[in-house]
Amino acid sequence: MFSRRTPGNLSENPIAKAIARAGQGLLDLTLSNPTQAGFSYPEAEIAEAFQDPQILRYEPDPRGLLPAREALLAHLEK
């Protein structure tokens, strides 16, 4: 038995009907796990990056990562 707070009409609402009509072409933005969303990842490159022991060090810089700042500067200087 459902809770008394559950509405008596359990048929699909307009949103559920639209989702059913969209089928596989729908991008579900409610997924909390991006690996389940069907994106393709450069798996070999990611696995290779994890071989670098430097990733185990956490040295934050409030200005952001130096390579990122340098890349931005190079882009803006064009």
Side-chain angles (χ1 to χ4, degrees):
M1 174 176 209
F2 284 110
S3 166
R4 285 178 278 144
R5 295 176 293 195
T6 303
N9 181 359
L10 297 178
S11 63
E12 290 184 329
N13 65 26
I15 295 173
K17 289 177 184 177
I19 291 171
R21 280 194 308 272
Q24 295 293 333
L26 183 69
L27 177 60
D28 186 355
L29 298 177
T30 65
L31 287 174
S32 60
N33 183 347
T35 64
Q36 300 296 315
F39 298 116
S40 60
Y41 294 97
E43 295 176 17
E45 289 87 349
I46 292 171
E48 184 179 329
F50 278 102
Q51 301 306 311
D52 185 350
Q54 289 184 341
I55 67 168
L56 299 176
R57 282 199 310 268
Y58 178 60
E59 298 172 346
D61 186 329
R63 297 169 295 178
L65 294 173
L66 180 60
R69 295 193 325 258
E70 290 171 341
L72 180 59
L73 177 62
H75 175 75
L76 294 175
E77 287 180 333
K78 289 181 183 179

Coordinates of all heavy atoms in Angstrom, one line a residue:
M1 N 0.8 -1.2 0.0 CA 0.0 0.0 0.0 C 0.9 1.2 0.0 O 1.9 1.3 0.7 CB -0.9 0.0 1.2 CG -1.7 1.2 1.4 SD -2.9 1.1 2.7 CE -4.1 2.2 2.2
F2 N 0.5 2.2 -0.8 CA 1.2 3.5 -0.9 C 0.9 4.4 0.3 O -0.2 4.2 0.9 CB 0.9 4.2 -2.2 CG 1.6 3.6 -3.4 CD1 0.8 3.0 -4.4 CD2 2.9 3.8 -3.6 CE1 1.4 2.4 -5.5 CE2 3.6 3.2 -4.7 CZ 2.8 2.6 -5.6
S3 N 1.7 5.3 0.5 CA 1.4 6.3 1.5 C 0.1 7.1 1.2 O -0.3 7.2 0.0 CB 2.6 7.3 1.6 OG 2.2 8.5 2.3
R4 N -0.6 7.6 2.2 CA -1.8 8.4 1.9 C -1.4 9.7 1.2 O -2.3 10.3 0.6 CB -2.5 8.8 3.3 CG -3.2 7.6 3.9 CD -3.9 7.9 5.2 NE -2.8 7.8 6.2 CZ -2.7 8.6 7.3 NH1 -3.6 9.5 7.5 NH2 -1.7 8.4 8.1
R5 N -0.2 10.1 1.2 CA 0.2 11.3 0.5 C 0.4 11.1 -1.0 O 0.5 12.0 -1.7 CB 1.6 11.9 1.1 CG 1.4 12.3 2.5 CD 2.7 12.7 3.1 NE 3.5 11.5 3.2 CZ 4.7 11.4 3.9 NH1 5.1 12.4 4.5 NH2 5.3 10.3 3.9
T6 N 0.5 9.8 -1.4 CA 0.6 9.5 -2.8 C -0.7 9.8 -3.5 O -1.7 9.4 -3.0 CB 1.0 8.0 -3.0 OG1 2.2 7.8 -2.3 CG2 1.2 7.7 -4.4
P7 N -0.6 10.5 -4.6 CA -1.9 10.8 -5.3 C -2.5 9.5 -5.8 O -1.9 8.6 -6.2 CB -1.5 11.7 -6.5 CG 0.0 11.5 -6.6 CD 0.5 11.1 -5.3
G8 N -3.8 9.5 -5.9 CA -4.6 8.4 -6.4 C -4.3 8.1 -7.8 O -4.3 6.9 -8.3
N9 N -4.1 9.1 -8.6 CA -3.8 8.9 -10.1 C -2.3 8.8 -10.3 O -1.6 9.7 -10.2 CB -4.4 10.2 -10.8 CG -4.2 10.0 -12.3 OD1 -3.6 9.0 -12.8 ND2 -4.6 11.0 -13.1
L10 N -1.9 7.5 -10.7 CA -0.5 7.3 -10.9 C -0.1 7.2 -12.3 O 0.9 6.7 -12.7 CB -0.1 6.0 -10.2 CG -0.3 6.0 -8.6 CD1 0.1 4.6 -8.1 CD2 0.6 7.0 -8.0
S11 N -1.0 7.7 -13.2 CA -0.7 7.7 -14.6 C 0.5 8.7 -14.9 O 0.7 9.6 -14.1 CB -1.9 8.1 -15.5 OG -2.4 9.4 -15.1
E12 N 1.1 8.6 -16.1 CA 2.2 9.4 -16.4 C 1.8 10.9 -16.5 O 0.7 11.2 -17.1 CB 2.8 9.0 -17.7 CG 3.6 7.7 -17.7 CD 4.3 7.4 -19.0 OE1 3.7 7.8 -20.1 OE2 5.3 6.7 -19.0
N13 N 2.6 11.8 -16.0 CA 2.3 13.2 -16.1 C 2.9 13.7 -17.5 O 3.6 12.9 -18.2 CB 2.9 14.0 -15.0 CG 4.4 14.0 -14.9 OD1 5.1 13.8 -15.9 ND2 4.9 14.1 -13.7
P14 N 2.6 14.9 -17.9 CA 3.1 15.4 -19.2 C 4.6 15.3 -19.4 O 5.1 15.0 -20.5 CB 2.6 16.8 -19.3 CG 1.4 16.9 -18.4 CD 1.7 15.9 -17.3
I15 N 5.3 15.5 -18.3 CA 6.8 15.4 -18.4 C 7.2 14.0 -18.7 O 8.1 13.7 -19.6 CB 7.5 16.0 -17.2 CG1 7.2 17.5 -17.0 CG2 9.0 15.7 -17.2 CD1 7.7 18.1 -15.8
A16 N 6.7 13.0 -18.0 CA 7.0 11.6 -18.2 C 6.6 11.2 -19.6 O 7.4 10.4 -20.2 CB 6.3 10.8 -17.1
K17 N 5.5 11.7 -20.1 CA 5.1 11.3 -21.4 C 6.0 11.9 -22.5 O 6.4 11.2 -23.4 CB 3.7 11.8 -21.7 CG 2.6 11.1 -20.9 CD 1.2 11.7 -21.2 CE 0.2 11.0 -20.4 NZ -1.2 11.6 -20.5
A18 N 6.5 13.1 -22.3 CA 7.5 13.7 -23.2 C 8.8 12.9 -23.2 O 9.4 12.7 -24.2 CB 7.7 15.2 -22.9
I19 N 9.2 12.5 -22.0 CA 10.5 11.7 -21.9 C 10.3 10.4 -22.6 O 11.2 10.0 -23.4 CB 10.8 11.5 -20.4 CG1 11.3 12.8 -19.8 CG2 11.9 10.4 -20.3 CD1 11.5 12.8 -18.3
A20 N 9.2 9.7 -22.5 CA 8.9 8.5 -23.2 C 8.9 8.7 -24.7 O 9.4 7.8 -25.4 CB 7.6 7.9 -22.7
R21 N 8.3 9.8 -25.2 CA 8.3 10.0 -26.6 C 9.7 10.3 -27.2 O 10.0 9.9 -28.3 CB 7.4 11.3 -26.9 CG 5.9 10.9 -26.9 CD 5.1 12.1 -27.5 NE 5.4 13.4 -27.0 CZ 4.8 13.9 -25.9 NH1 3.9 13.2 -25.3 NH2 5.1 15.1 -25.4
A22 N 10.5 11.0 -26.4 CA 11.9 11.3 -26.8 C 12.8 10.1 -27.0 O 13.6 10.0 -27.8 CB 12.6 12.3 -25.9
G23 N 12.5 9.1 -26.1 CA 13.3 7.8 -26.2 C 14.8 8.0 -26.1 O 15.2 8.7 -25.2
Q24 N 15.5 7.3 -26.9 CA 17.0 7.3 -26.8 C 17.6 8.6 -27.2 O 18.8 8.9 -26.9 CB 17.6 6.2 -27.8 CG 17.2 4.8 -27.3 CD 17.8 4.4 -26.0 OE1 18.8 4.9 -25.6 NE2 17.1 3.5 -25.3
G25 N 16.9 9.5 -27.9 CA 17.5 10.8 -28.3 C 17.5 11.8 -27.2 O 18.0 12.9 -27.4
L26 N 17.1 11.4 -26.0 CA 17.1 12.4 -24.9 C 18.4 12.4 -24.1 O 18.9 11.3 -23.8 CB 15.9 12.0 -23.9 CG 15.7 12.9 -22.7 CD1 15.1 14.2 -23.2 CD2 14.7 12.2 -21.8
L27 N 18.9 13.6 -23.8 CA 20.1 13.7 -22.9 C 19.6 13.9 -21.5 O 18.9 14.9 -21.2 CB 20.9 14.9 -23.4 CG 22.1 15.2 -22.5 CD1 23.1 14.0 -22.5 CD2 22.9 16.4 -23.1
D28 N 19.8 12.9 -20.7 CA 19.3 13.0 -19.3 C 20.3 13.8 -18.4 O 21.3 13.3 -18.0 CB 19.2 11.5 -18.7 CG 18.6 11.5 -17.4 OD1 18.3 12.6 -16.8 OD2 18.3 10.4 -16.9
L29 N 19.9 15.0 -18.1 CA 20.7 15.9 -17.3 C 20.6 15.6 -15.8 O 21.3 16.3 -15.0 CB 20.4 17.3 -17.6 CG 20.6 17.8 -19.1 CD1 20.1 19.2 -19.2 CD2 22.0 17.6 -19.5
T30 N 19.8 14.6 -15.5 CA 19.7 14.3 -14.0 C 20.7 13.2 -13.6 O 20.8 12.9 -12.4 CB 18.3 13.8 -13.7 OG1 18.0 12.6 -14.4 CG2 17.2 14.8 -14.1
L31 N 21.4 12.6 -14.6 CA 22.4 11.6 -14.2 C 23.5 12.2 -13.3 O 24.1 13.3 -13.7 CB 23.0 11.0 -15.4 CG 22.2 10.1 -16.3 CD1 22.9 9.7 -17.5 CD2 21.8 8.8 -15.5
S32 N 23.8 11.6 -12.3 CA 24.9 12.1 -11.4 C 26.2 11.4 -11.7 O 27.3 11.8 -11.2 CB 24.6 11.9 -9.9 OG 24.4 10.5 -9.7
N33 N 26.2 10.4 -12.6 CA 27.4 9.7 -12.9 C 27.7 9.9 -14.4 O 27.0 9.3 -15.3 CB 27.3 8.2 -12.6 CG 28.5 7.4 -12.9 OD1 29.5 7.9 -13.5 ND2 28.6 6.2 -12.4
P34 N 28.7 10.7 -14.8 CA 28.9 11.0 -16.2 C 29.3 9.8 -17.0 O 29.2 9.8 -18.2 CB 29.9 12.1 -16.2 CG 30.6 12.0 -14.9 CD 29.6 11.5 -13.9
T35 N 29.9 8.8 -16.3 CA 30.3 7.6 -17.1 C 29.1 6.8 -17.6 O 29.3 5.9 -18.4 CB 31.3 6.7 -16.2 OG1 30.5 6.2 -15.1 CG2 32.5 7.5 -15.8
Q36 N 27.9 7.1 -17.1 CA 26.7 6.4 -17.5 C 26.0 7.2 -18.5 O 24.9 6.7 -19.0 CB 25.8 6.1 -16.3 CG 26.5 5.3 -15.2 CD 26.8 3.9 -15.7 OE1 26.0 3.3 -16.3 NE2 28.0 3.4 -15.4
A37 N 26.4 8.4 -18.9 CA 25.7 9.3 -19.8 C 26.0 9.0 -21.3 O 25.4 9.7 -22.1 CB 26.0 10.7 -19.5
G38 N 26.8 8.1 -21.6 CA 27.1 7.8 -23.0 C 28.2 8.6 -23.7 O 28.3 8.6 -24.9
F39 N 28.9 9.4 -22.9 CA 30.0 10.2 -23.4 C 31.2 9.3 -23.8 O 31.4 8.3 -23.1 CB 30.5 11.3 -22.4 CG 29.4 12.3 -22.0 CD1 29.0 12.4 -20.7 CD2 28.9 13.1 -23.0 CE1 28.0 13.3 -20.4 CE2 27.9 14.1 -22.6 CZ 27.5 14.1 -21.3
S40 N 31.9 9.7 -24.8 CA 33.2 8.9 -25.1 C 34.3 9.7 -24.4 O 34.4 10.9 -24.5 CB 33.3 8.8 -26.6 OG 33.4 10.0 -27.2
Y41 N 35.2 9.0 -23.8 CA 36.4 9.5 -23.1 C 37.6 9.0 -23.8 O 37.7 7.9 -24.3 CB 36.4 9.1 -21.7 CG 35.2 9.7 -20.9 CD1 34.1 9.0 -20.6 CD2 35.3 11.0 -20.4 CE1 33.1 9.5 -19.9 CE2 34.3 11.5 -19.6 CZ 33.2 10.8 -19.4 OH 32.1 11.3 -18.6
P42 N 38.7 9.8 -23.8 CA 40.0 9.3 -24.3 C 40.6 8.4 -23.2 O 41.5 8.8 -22.4 CB 40.8 10.6 -24.5 CG 40.2 11.5 -23.5 CD 38.8 11.2 -23.4
E43 N 40.1 7.1 -23.1 CA 40.4 6.2 -22.1 C 41.9 6.0 -21.9 O 42.5 5.9 -20.8 CB 39.7 4.9 -22.2 CG 38.2 5.1 -22.1 CD 37.4 3.8 -22.3 OE1 38.0 2.7 -22.3 OE2 36.2 3.9 -22.5
A44 N 42.6 5.8 -23.1 CA 44.1 5.5 -23.0 C 44.8 6.6 -22.4 O 45.7 6.5 -21.6 CB 44.6 5.1 -24.4
E45 N 44.5 7.9 -22.8 CA 45.2 9.0 -22.3 C 44.9 9.2 -20.9 O 45.8 9.6 -20.1 CB 44.8 10.3 -23.1 CG 45.3 10.3 -24.5 CD 44.4 9.6 -25.5 OE1 43.4 8.9 -25.1 OE2 44.6 9.8 -26.7
I46 N 43.7 9.0 -20.4 CA 43.4 9.1 -19.0 C 44.2 8.1 -18.2 O 44.8 8.4 -17.2 CB 41.9 9.0 -18.8 CG1 41.1 10.2 -19.4 CG2 41.6 8.9 -17.3 CD1 39.6 10.1 -19.4
A47 N 44.2 6.8 -18.7 CA 44.9 5.8 -18.0 C 46.4 6.1 -17.9 O 47.1 5.9 -16.9 CB 44.7 4.5 -18.6
E48 N 46.9 6.7 -19.0 CA 48.4 7.1 -19.0 C 48.7 8.2 -18.0 O 49.7 8.2 -17.3 CB 48.8 7.5 -20.4 CG 50.2 7.8 -20.6 CD 50.6 8.3 -22.0 OE1 49.9 7.8 -22.9 OE2 51.5 9.1 -22.1
A49 N 47.8 9.1 -17.9 CA 48.0 10.3 -16.9 C 48.0 9.8 -15.5 O 48.8 10.3 -14.7 CB 46.8 11.3 -17.1
F50 N 47.3 8.7 -15.2 CA 47.4 8.1 -13.8 C 48.7 7.4 -13.5 O 48.9 7.0 -12.4 CB 46.2 7.2 -13.6 CG 44.9 8.0 -13.2 CD1 43.9 8.2 -14.2 CD2 44.8 8.5 -11.9 CE1 42.8 8.9 -13.8 CE2 43.6 9.2 -11.6 CZ 42.6 9.4 -12.6
Q51 N 49.5 7.2 -14.5 CA 50.8 6.6 -14.3 C 51.8 7.6 -13.8 O 52.9 7.2 -13.3 CB 51.3 6.0 -15.6 CG 50.4 4.9 -16.2 CD 50.1 3.8 -15.2 OE1 51.0 3.2 -14.5 NE2 48.8 3.5 -15.1
D52 N 51.5 8.9 -13.9 CA 52.5 9.9 -13.4 C 52.3 10.1 -11.9 O 51.3 10.5 -11.4 CB 52.1 11.3 -14.2 CG 53.1 12.4 -13.9 OD1 54.0 12.2 -13.0 OD2 53.0 13.4 -14.6
P53 N 53.4 9.9 -11.2 CA 53.3 10.0 -9.7 C 53.1 11.5 -9.3 O 52.7 11.7 -8.1 CB 54.7 9.5 -9.2 CG 55.6 9.5 -10.4 CD 54.7 9.4 -11.6
Q54 N 53.3 12.5 -10.1 CA 53.0 13.8 -9.7 C 51.6 14.1 -9.4 O 51.3 15.1 -8.7 CB 53.5 14.8 -10.8 CG 55.0 14.9 -10.9 CD 55.4 15.9 -12.0 OE1 54.6 16.3 -12.8 NE2 56.7 16.4 -11.9
I55 N 50.7 13.3 -9.9 CA 49.3 13.5 -9.7 C 48.9 13.3 -8.2 O 47.8 13.7 -7.8 CB 48.3 12.7 -10.6 CG1 48.4 11.2 -10.3 CG2 48.6 13.0 -12.0 CD1 47.4 10.4 -10.9
L56 N 49.8 12.6 -7.5 CA 49.6 12.3 -6.1 C 49.8 13.5 -5.2 O 49.5 13.5 -4.0 CB 50.4 11.1 -5.6 CG 50.1 9.8 -6.3 CD1 51.1 8.8 -5.9 CD2 48.7 9.4 -6.1
R57 N 50.5 14.6 -5.7 CA 50.8 15.8 -4.9 C 49.7 16.8 -5.1 O 49.2 17.0 -6.3 CB 52.1 16.4 -5.4 CG 53.3 15.7 -4.8 CD 54.5 16.5 -4.8 NE 54.8 17.1 -6.2 CZ 55.5 16.6 -7.1 NH1 56.1 15.4 -6.9 NH2 55.7 17.2 -8.3
Y58 N 49.2 17.4 -4.1 CA 48.2 18.5 -4.1 C 48.9 19.7 -3.7 O 49.2 19.9 -2.5 CB 47.0 18.1 -3.3 CG 46.0 19.2 -3.2 CD1 45.3 19.5 -4.4 CD2 45.6 19.8 -2.1 CE1 44.3 20.5 -4.4 CE2 44.6 20.8 -2.1 CZ 44.0 21.1 -3.2 OH 43.0 22.1 -3.2
E59 N 49.1 20.6 -4.6 CA 49.8 21.9 -4.4 C 48.9 23.0 -5.0 O 49.3 23.5 -6.1 CB 51.2 21.9 -4.9 CG 52.1 20.8 -4.3 CD 53.5 20.7 -4.9 OE1 53.6 21.2 -6.0 OE2 54.3 20.1 -4.3
P60 N 47.8 23.4 -4.4 CA 47.0 24.4 -5.0 C 47.6 25.7 -5.1 O 48.5 26.1 -4.3 CB 45.8 24.4 -4.1 CG 46.3 24.0 -2.7 CD 47.4 23.0 -3.0
D61 N 47.2 26.5 -6.1 CA 47.7 27.8 -6.3 C 46.4 28.7 -6.4 O 45.6 28.4 -7.3 CB 48.6 27.9 -7.6 CG 49.2 29.3 -7.7 OD1 48.6 30.3 -7.3 OD2 50.3 29.4 -8.3
P62 N 46.3 29.7 -5.6 CA 45.0 30.5 -5.7 C 44.8 31.2 -7.0 O 43.7 31.6 -7.4 CB 45.2 31.5 -4.5 CG 46.6 31.5 -4.2 CD 47.2 30.2 -4.6
R63 N 45.9 31.3 -7.8 CA 45.8 31.9 -9.1 C 45.5 30.9 -10.2 O 45.2 31.3 -11.3 CB 47.2 32.6 -9.5 CG 47.5 33.7 -8.5 CD 48.9 34.2 -8.7 NE 49.8 33.0 -8.4 CZ 51.1 33.0 -8.5 NH1 51.8 34.1 -9.0 NH2 51.8 32.0 -8.1
G64 N 45.5 29.7 -9.9 CA 45.2 28.6 -10.8 C 46.5 27.9 -11.3 O 47.6 28.4 -10.9
L65 N 46.4 26.9 -12.0 CA 47.5 26.1 -12.4 C 48.4 27.0 -13.4 O 47.8 27.6 -14.3 CB 47.1 24.8 -13.1 CG 46.5 23.8 -12.2 CD1 46.0 22.6 -13.1 CD2 47.4 23.3 -11.2
L66 N 49.7 27.0 -13.2 CA 50.6 27.7 -14.1 C 50.4 27.3 -15.6 O 50.3 28.2 -16.4 CB 52.0 27.6 -13.7 CG 53.0 28.3 -14.5 CD1 52.8 29.8 -14.5 CD2 54.4 28.1 -14.0
P67 N 50.4 26.1 -15.9 CA 50.2 25.7 -17.4 C 48.8 26.3 -17.9 O 48.8 26.7 -19.1 CB 50.2 24.2 -17.4 CG 50.9 23.8 -16.1 CD 50.6 24.9 -15.1
A68 N 47.8 26.3 -17.1 CA 46.5 26.8 -17.6 C 46.6 28.3 -17.8 O 46.1 28.9 -18.8 CB 45.4 26.5 -16.6
R69 N 47.3 29.0 -16.9 CA 47.5 30.5 -17.0 C 48.3 30.8 -18.2 O 48.0 31.7 -19.0 CB 48.1 31.1 -15.7 CG 47.2 30.9 -14.5 CD 47.6 31.8 -13.3 NE 49.1 31.9 -13.1 CZ 49.8 31.3 -12.2 NH1 49.2 30.4 -11.5 NH2 51.1 31.5 -12.1
E70 N 49.4 30.0 -18.5 CA 50.2 30.2 -19.6 C 49.5 30.0 -20.9 O 49.6 30.7 -21.9 CB 51.5 29.3 -19.5 CG 52.4 29.7 -18.4 CD 53.5 28.7 -18.2 OE1 53.4 27.6 -18.6 OE2 54.5 29.1 -17.6
A71 N 48.6 28.9 -20.9 CA 47.8 28.6 -22.1 C 46.9 29.8 -22.4 O 46.7 30.2 -23.6 CB 47.1 27.3 -22.0
L72 N 46.2 30.3 -21.4 CA 45.3 31.4 -21.6 C 46.0 32.6 -22.1 O 45.6 33.3 -23.0 CB 44.6 31.7 -20.2 CG 43.6 32.9 -20.3 CD1 42.5 32.6 -21.3 CD2 43.0 33.1 -18.9
L73 N 47.2 32.9 -21.5 CA 48.0 34.1 -22.0 C 48.4 33.9 -23.5 O 48.2 34.8 -24.3 CB 49.2 34.2 -21.1 CG 50.2 35.3 -21.5 CD1 49.5 36.7 -21.4 CD2 51.5 35.3 -20.7
A74 N 48.8 32.7 -23.8 CA 49.2 32.5 -25.2 C 48.0 32.7 -26.2 O 48.1 33.2 -27.2 CB 49.7 31.1 -25.4
H75 N 46.8 32.2 -25.7 CA 45.6 32.4 -26.5 C 45.2 33.9 -26.6 O 44.8 34.3 -27.7 CB 44.5 31.6 -25.9 CG 43.1 31.8 -26.5 ND1 42.8 31.2 -27.7 CD2 42.1 32.5 -26.2 CE1 41.6 31.6 -28.1 NE2 41.1 32.4 -27.1
L76 N 45.3 34.6 -25.5 CA 44.9 36.0 -25.6 C 45.9 36.9 -26.3 O 45.5 37.9 -26.8 CB 44.7 36.5 -24.1 CG 43.6 35.9 -23.4 CD1 43.6 36.4 -21.9 CD2 42.3 36.2 -24.0
E77 N 47.1 36.5 -26.4 CA 48.2 37.2 -27.1 C 48.0 37.1 -28.7 O 48.7 37.8 -29.4 CB 49.6 36.9 -26.7 CG 49.9 37.4 -25.3 CD 51.3 37.0 -24.8 OE1 51.8 36.0 -25.3 OE2 51.8 37.7 -24.0
K78 N 47.3 36.1 -29.1 CA 47.1 35.9 -30.6 C 46.4 37.1 -31.2 O 45.6 37.7 -30.8 CB 46.4 34.6 -30.9 CG 47.2 33.4 -30.6 CD 46.4 32.2 -30.9 CE 47.2 30.9 -30.5 NZ 46.4 29.7 -30.8

